[in-house]
Amino acid sequence: MWGWDHMNGYGGWGFGWIFMILFWVLIIVAILAVVRWLSGGVAGGSGDKSALRILEERYARGEIGEDEFRRKKKDLSS
C-alpha cells in the first residue's frame, strides 16, 4: 500500500533533519554574536589589552629601558 515512494522512501527521515539542525545552529550562532557584540566586542582584540601587558610588550621590543619599565610597572600596581 505505501511502497518505497512514501515520504522519500525513508519513513520521513530524508534530509530535512539536516536542514533543521543547520537552522538551529545558525540561530544559536546569531544569538551568541549579538550577545558578544552587546558586551563590548571580541575578546583578545587590541582594545582588550591591559596596561601592564602593553608595558611588557614595549619592554620586550626594546622601546623602553629596564628602569622605565620598573618605574611604570610600580605606578600601575599602586
Side-chain angles (χ1 to χ4, degrees):
M1 178 176 173
W2 293 103
W4 181 254
D5 291 329
H6 177 68
M7 300 179 98
N8 296 330
Y10 298 102
W13 290 98
F15 292 104
W17 63 274
I18 293 174
F19 295 114
M20 182 60 85
I21 290 173
L22 286 175
F23 172 77
W24 285 110
V25 167
L26 288 174
I27 294 293
I28 291 169
V29 167
I31 290 171
L32 291 174
V34 168
V35 168
R36 203 170 195 182
W37 177 68
L38 289 175
S39 68
V42 178
S46 61
D48 196 32
K49 290 184 181 177
S50 69
L52 182 58
R53 179 76 180 155
I54 295 170
L55 183 63
E56 290 170 345
E57 289 176 1
R58 290 185 64 201
Y59 178 65
R61 286 190 300 257
E63 294 177 7
I64 59 175
E66 184 178 353
D67 293 334
E68 186 177 359
F69 172 75
R70 290 182 190 272
R71 189 172 57 250
K72 290 183 182 215
K73 185 176 178 183
K74 183 179 177 186
D75 290 342
L76 288 173
S77 65
S78 55

